[in-house]
């Protein structure tokens, strides 16, 4: 987390320049803006008051209140005769939904082991964590975080993305309907002066707000920039242009902004439309924004060339300012903070190896070979970050400074919480090169996870990958099932299972089909272009 820093300039500066508008329009615009600000202020005060009242109540009172609410929602839904069926749209042809048998006994055996691990993780969740976000595998009980507000980004990538993938893979209407119901609940988060959504929204009241630690009340690039895939699918499936328009508005707004050194800062204030602190990262706070630019192009059957160009420009600036070689010859991606390069790379950043490989085909100036090579170098560096530990599992962040090469220094950077990014990159590299080392590295990770993270109630993160006797964090993260084990399973399957020509994985590894729109125009796209 980053502590808030004071932002230069006035928070009340209007986002849109008014000098070209006639006086009456100017007044009306200012009045509308003022009334939106008043509403936001009043909403926030009300939400604060409600939260204070809730905190005065006992756990039992809160549980009883939640139960009453749940029963009321269920009864209301019944009264409405269930949700209206959505208009039928052509179901994309689903290619590669098959067994993906790897063909040889050795890889089959390895894949069976990964399947067994998935079963252990899932059974444990079902037995001890059902109804909660995750399971605590040591305490053997459910694990949930904040009950009052939810993160727009997390709900989108984990729940909506998961429901959409379940819909496409099963064809069952219920998943689509649930995805849409949930997405409707997120829409109030976009009611800001700029249309850049709040980070969090209260599903009951629709009141949005931002993280207290984010630079001067800013929204986060990786959060508001990781909605595109799911929202385009929602418009495609429902015929409702709102979703498409919301994400295209974000794109247009970003395109108009100046970028320091061509880089996108991680913080943007949704009230003023100004950047917050000039911190750029391909790891936490920035990562999936870049991923979704590339994937917007891929999921559109490569017709969304605007997204591709934005991706190419962003990556070009990242390569120029953030990617370096260490003294020991390891390619790493650092972080840009107020004009200074921090020679530290996060585990989260390791996904970028796969992204560079995925974006190689179609890159400008015939640089496909270059990007595939860059992907391989990042994969190698991230493997080294695993290999240089005692447990053979990677730390949360590692340095390339003062003689250090791909190792964590601070105690609070030495943990491994079952994250997928390194394995994700192995899988993409495997698909594009078939170099056996990627399967070998993936297998090393399987063995280490099974040895050090497996407990009787599932799998747990560990607090220090450099200790031979690590303590557990007692959380089985949901992305361990959605991503880590899924990418491992795919790594030991044949390429015929979910081929990348037909499927694009959202940032939580939920597969969504490429939309071959052909002559179909997405509702809302006519007014946007
Ligand atoms: C996942 O929720 C997603 O991959 C997200 O984009 C960032 N990282 C976590 C897992 O580490």
């Amino acid at each position: 987390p980053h502590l808030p820093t004071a932002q230069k300039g006035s928070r009340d500066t209007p986002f849109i320049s008014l000098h070209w508008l006639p006086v009456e329009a100017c007044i009306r615009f200012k009045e509308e803006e003022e009334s939106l600000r008043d509403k936001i202020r009043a909403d926030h005060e009300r939400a604060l008051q409600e939260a204070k009242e809730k905190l005065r109540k006992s756990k039992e009172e809160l549980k009883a209140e939640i139960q009453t609410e749940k029963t009321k929602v269920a009864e209301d839904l019944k009264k409405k005769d269930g949700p209206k069926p959505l208009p039928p749209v052509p179901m994309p042809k689903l290619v590669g939904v098959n067994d993906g048998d790897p063909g040889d006994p050795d890889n089959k055996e390895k894949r069976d082991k990964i399947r067994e691990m998935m079963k252990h993780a899932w059974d444990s969740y079902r037995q001890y964590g059902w109804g909660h976000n995750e399971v605590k595998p040591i305490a053997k009980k459910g694990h949930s975080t904040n009950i009052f507000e939810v993160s727009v980004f997390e709900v989108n990538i984990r729940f909506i993305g998961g429901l959409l993938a379940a819909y496409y893979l099963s064809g069952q209407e219920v998943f689509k309907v649930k995805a849409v119901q949930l997405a409707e609940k997120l829409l109030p988060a976009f009611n800001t002066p700029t249309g850049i959504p709040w980070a969090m929204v209260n599903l009951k009241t629709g009141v949005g707000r931002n993280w207290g630690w984010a630079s001067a009340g800013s929204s986060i690039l990786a959060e508001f920039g990781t909605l595109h895939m799911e929202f385009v699918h929602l418009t495609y499936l429902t015929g409702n242009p709102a979703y498409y328009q919301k994400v295209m508005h974000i794109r247009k707004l970003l395109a108009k902004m100046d970028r320091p050194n061509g880089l996108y800062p991680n913080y943007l204030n949704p009230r003023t439309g100004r950047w917050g602190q000039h911190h750029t990262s391909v790891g936490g706070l920035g990562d999936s924004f870049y991923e979704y630019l590339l994937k917007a192009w891929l999921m559109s059957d490569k017709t969304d060339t605007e997204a591709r160009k934005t991706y190419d420009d962003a990556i070009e600036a990242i390569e120029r300012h953030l990617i370096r070689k260490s003294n020991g010859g390891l390619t790493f991606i650092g972080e840009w903070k107020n004009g200074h390069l921090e020679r530290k790379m996060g585990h989260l950043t390791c996904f970028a190896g796969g992204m560079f490989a995925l974006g190689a085909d179609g890159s400008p100036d015939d640089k496909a070979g270059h990007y595939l090579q860059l992907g391989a170098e990042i994969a190698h560096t991230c493997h080294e970050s695993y290999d240089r530990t005692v447990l053979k599992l990677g730390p949360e962040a590692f340095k390339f400074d003062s003689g250090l090469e791909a190792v964590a220094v601070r105690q609070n950077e030495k943990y491994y919480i079952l994250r997928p990014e390194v394995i994700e990159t192995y899988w993409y590299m495997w698909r594009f090169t078939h170099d056996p080392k990627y399967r070998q590295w993936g297998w090393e990770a399987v063995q280490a996870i099974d040895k050090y993270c497996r407990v009787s109630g599932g799998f747990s993160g560990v607090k220090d990958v450099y200790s031979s006797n690590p303590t557990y964090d007692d959380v089985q993260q949901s992305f361990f099932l959605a991503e880590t084990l899924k990418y491992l399973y795919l790594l030991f399957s044949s390429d015929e299972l979910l081929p990348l020509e037909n499927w694009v994985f959202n940032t939580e590894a939920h597969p969504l089909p490429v939309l071959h729109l052909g002559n179909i125009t997405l509702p809302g796209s006519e007014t946007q272009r």
Side-chain angles (χ1 to χ4, degrees), residues 153-154 157-158 222 226 287-288 291 347-348 351 396 417-421 424 478-480 483-484 487 506-509:
F153 161 77
E154 298 288 7
I157 65 169
R158 298 187 191 214
T226 311
D287 46 11
S288 42
E291 175 186 352
H347 191 289
L348 290 164
F351 91 98
E396 180 68 2
I417 55 167
L418 306 169
R419 284 200 194 278
E421 291 76 17
E424 175 180 351
S478 71
F479 51 67
F480 178 61
E483 298 190 71
T484 313
Y487 286 129
N506 89 338
T507 193
E508 200 72 7

Side-chain angles (χ1 to χ4, degrees), residues 227-241:
L227 304 168
H228 191 97
M229 288 185 70
E230 295 79 3
F231 275 44
V232 169
H233 275 278
L234 286 163
T235 287
Y236 175 72
L237 292 173
T238 61
N240 177 358

Side-chain angles (χ1 to χ4, degrees), residues 26-70:
C26 246
I27 293 169
R28 204 174 54 247
F29 181 84
K30 282 227 109 189
E31 281 172 357
E32 277 169 14
E33 203 189 57
E34 257 319 300
S35 87
L36 181 57
R37 281 182 202 283
D38 285 346
K39 186 181 170 310
I40 290 171
R41 243 175 257 131
D43 279 352
H44 281 190
E45 272 161 27
R46 191 161 34 81
L48 198 65
Q49 194 51 39
E50 272 183 24
K52 274 188 190 159
E53 279 162 22
K54 287 244 188 301
L55 287 173
R56 269 189 228 116
K57 295 183 181 163
S58 70
K59 216 174 169 185
E60 284 63 39
E61 278 176 297
L62 284 175
K63 272 189 182 163
E65 240 175 55
I66 292 168
Q67 197 44 54
T68 318
E69 281 287 336
K70 277 186 176 171

Side-chain angles (χ1 to χ4, degrees), residues 117-399:
M117 288 166 72
M118 175 66 99
K119 191 156 164 30
H120 177 58
W122 173 249
D123 288 346
S124 301
Y125 169 72
R126 277 202 71 150
Q127 189 173 351
Y128 307 116
W130 195 248
H132 294 260
N133 282 350
E134 286 156 340
V135 64
K136 287 171 78 65
I138 312 272
K140 297 189 174 166
K141 60 179 195 188
H143 176 244
S144 293
T145 39
N146 202 330
I147 55 167
F148 301 119
E149 302 221 17
V150 295
S151 151
V152 173
F153 161 77
E154 298 288 7
V155 166
N156 180 58
I157 65 169
R158 298 187 191 214
F159 305 158
I160 296 180
L163 287 163
L164 289 173
Y167 168 66
Y168 283 117
L169 290 169
S170 70
Q172 289 197 27
E173 192 77 4
V174 61
F175 296 120
K176 176 164 80 169
V177 171
K178 294 260 179 227
V180 176
Q181 283 174 343
L182 199 46
E184 270 172 21
K185 292 277 182 194
L186 296 189
L187 290 181
F190 291 80
N191 293 337
T192 64
T194 58
I196 294 290
W198 299 113
M200 280 175 282
V201 69
N202 184 313
L203 295 182
K204 193 174 152 201
T205 62
V207 175
R209 69 179 179 91
N210 275 347
W211 307 109
W213 49 262
S215 172
S218 291
S219 300
I220 308 290
L221 183 70
E223 297 197 329
F224 64 78
T226 311
L227 304 168
H228 191 97
M229 288 185 70
E230 295 79 3
F231 275 44
V232 169
H233 275 278
L234 286 163
T235 287
Y236 175 72
L237 292 173
T238 61
N240 177 358
Y243 305 105
Y244 179 80
Q245 285 170 342
K246 300 265 183 248
V247 287
M248 288 308 279
H249 176 79
I250 296 175
R251 186 192 285 180
K252 301 272 178 243
L253 192 143
L254 288 178
K256 281 190 217 135
M257 294 186 66
D258 280 339
R259 297 192 304 278
N261 291 314
L263 295 169
Y264 288 87
N266 289 334
Y267 299 105
L268 179 58
N269 189 313
R271 297 174 199 256
T272 63
R274 289 167 190 261
W275 297 121
Q277 189 198 358
H278 284 190
H279 170 206
T280 298
S281 147
V282 186
L285 308 178
D287 46 11
S288 42
F289 162 70
Y290 306 100
E291 175 186 352
Y292 269 36
L293 291 175
L294 175 64
K295 290 183 175 176
W297 175 68
L298 289 167
M299 70 172 278
S300 71
D301 198 15
K302 304 188 178 172
T303 58
D304 186 353
T305 48
E306 183 181 72
R308 174 78 217 203
K309 169 92 176 69
T310 313
Y311 169 80
D312 288 332
D313 290 349
I315 296 306
E316 201 253 329
I318 282 167
E319 218 184 327
R320 193 150 19 100
H321 297 289
L322 267 60
I323 301 187
R324 297 285 181 273
K325 248 198 177 81
S326 72
N327 293 341
L330 296 176
T331 302
F332 69 93
I333 311 177
E335 303 210 354
W336 190 257
K337 279 192 185 156
N338 297 321
H340 167 79
L341 181 74
E342 202 180 348
R343 297 170 66 90
K344 184 164 91 175
M345 185 164 171
H347 191 289
L348 290 164
T349 319
C350 287
F351 91 98
M355 178 178 74
F356 293 143
L358 184 64
D361 187 29
S363 56
D365 308 324
D366 206 13
K367 281 168 82 180
H370 167 74
Y371 284 113
L372 205 56
Q373 171 64 19
L374 191 55
E377 288 176 22
I378 298 298
H380 173 64
T381 300
C382 292
H383 175 255
E384 287 299 305
S385 79
Y386 274 49
D387 207 40
R388 294 173 189 207
T389 71
V390 172
L391 303 189
K392 304 290 172 198
L393 291 168
E396 180 68 2
F398 39 98
K399 286 205 140 191

Side-chain angles (χ1 to χ4, degrees), residues 379-517:
H380 173 64
T381 300
C382 292
H383 175 255
E384 287 299 305
S385 79
Y386 274 49
D387 207 40
R388 294 173 189 207
T389 71
V390 172
L391 303 189
K392 304 290 172 198
L393 291 168
E396 180 68 2
F398 39 98
K399 286 205 140 191
F400 300 87
D401 221 349
S402 326
L404 294 170
E405 294 274 336
V407 286
V409 190
R410 294 201 195 151
Q411 196 53 39
N412 65 1
E413 292 171 345
K414 295 182 177 172
Y415 61 87
Y416 173 67
I417 55 167
L418 306 169
R419 284 200 194 278
E421 291 76 17
V422 175
I423 289 159
E424 175 180 351
T425 278
Y426 295 163
W427 175 59
Y428 279 108
M429 290 310 303
W430 164 256
R431 278 272 169 113
F432 290 112
T433 66
H434 289 140
D435 186 329
K437 75 177 175 213
Y438 296 116
R439 277 188 165 166
Q440 186 198 316
W441 292 351
W443 187 242
E444 288 168 11
V446 170
Q447 289 174 302
I449 291 171
D450 205 45
K451 185 163 175 192
Y452 297 111
C453 302
R454 188 180 184 123
V455 290
S456 64
F459 290 85
S460 167
V462 288
K463 289 189 182 162
D464 186 349
V465 289
Y466 300 95
S467 156
S468 50
N469 190 16
T471 42
Y472 297 116
D473 69 1
D474 198 13
V475 183
Q476 177 177 283
Q477 303 279 348
S478 71
F479 51 67
F480 178 61
L481 292 86
E483 298 190 71
T484 313
L485 289 173
K486 191 187 290 162
Y487 286 129
L488 282 168
Y489 189 83
L490 287 165
L491 180 62
F492 290 95
S493 298
S494 78
D495 294 0
E496 276 74 53
L497 178 57
L498 300 174
L500 289 170
E501 294 74 37
N502 304 88
W503 294 90
V504 187
F505 287 70
N506 89 338
T507 193
E508 200 72 7
H510 298 304
L512 300 175
V514 169
L515 292 177
H516 298 276
L517 291 172

